[in-house]
Each structure stands twice: as structure tokens, then as C-alpha cells.
């Protein structure tokens, strides 16, 4: 395999918690993950109903940056939102 080959795409997972408001998650998905209102609401409802949802699928390095940004925004707003990167 060539050295310049990219790592595989990885799903970025957002987990449900009892503190972070649905409206905050929707705005986060729109602002950081570029979801439309409709897709952000769909992902947020999956997070709420199933305990987790996929915010997007990215190269690992991009996913790491988005997790960092999401946690920073969440903590600044006072919410304990948890995210993770699934490596395939």
C-alpha cells in the first residue's frame, strides 16, 4: 500500500445524555457537521431514541477535529455531550 493512502472513513458517533437539550444538538449538527435542519432533526431523534447517532462519516483526522470542536462548544455551553470515532 502506498504511503500516501488515506485511512478509511470513520463514523463519528454522538451519544445521548440526560442533560444536553435536543435544540442544542440540532444546532451543533447544523453548525459543525453542515446538516440541514431536517437531517439534524433526524440524527438528533436517533440519538434520543437509540442512545446514539451518526453525525457524519469522515477521514479519521477530520473526525478528530470535529470531535474536539464539538466538545469545546458543548463544554462552553455547560453540556456534557459525548462523542466518539468508530474505526472500521
Amino acid at each position: 500500500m502506498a504511503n500516501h493512502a488515506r485511512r478509511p472513513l470513520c463514523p463519528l458517533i454522538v451519544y445521548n445524555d440526560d442533560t444536553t437539550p435536543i435544540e442544542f444538538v440540532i444546532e451543533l449538527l447544523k453548525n459543525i457537521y453542515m446538516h440541514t435542519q431536517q437531517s439534524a432533526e433526524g440524527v438528533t431523534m436517533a440519538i434520543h431514541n437509540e442512545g446514539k447517532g451518526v453525525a457524519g462519516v469522515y477521514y479519521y483526522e477530520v473526525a478528530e477535529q470535529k470531535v474536539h470542536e464539538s466538545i469545546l462548544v458543548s463544554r462552553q455551553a455547560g453540556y456534557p455531550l459525548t462523542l466518539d470515532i468508530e474505526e472500521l
Side-chain angles (χ1 to χ4, degrees):
M1 181 187 273
N3 288 338
H4 64 276
R6 286 193 175 254
R7 295 174 80 169
L9 293 171
C10 304
L12 194 155
I13 308 299
V14 180
Y15 293 94
N16 190 41
D17 63 64
D18 294 331
T19 306
T20 309
I22 287 175
E23 296 77 17
F24 179 84
V25 176
I26 290 170
E27 289 305 310
L28 186 91
L29 290 169
K30 288 167 46 180
N31 294 329
I32 296 177
Y33 301 93
M34 302 306 148
H35 280 266
T36 63
Q37 179 72 28
Q38 185 176 6
S39 67
E41 289 174 1
V43 172
T44 301
M45 291 319 298
I47 295 165
H48 181 71
N49 293 327
E50 299 166 25
K52 65 181 182 177
V54 178
V57 179
Y58 305 95
Y59 290 112
Y60 189 83
E61 293 77 11
V62 174
E64 277 185 319
Q65 180 58 39
K66 289 192 177 286
V67 165
H68 176 74
E69 187 177 352
S70 298
I71 289 173
L72 182 65
V73 168
S74 297
R75 297 306 176 271
Q76 287 175 341
Y79 301 123
L81 195 65
T82 304
L83 304 95
D84 198 10
I85 302 166
E86 263 185 23
E87 291 195 61
L88 301 177

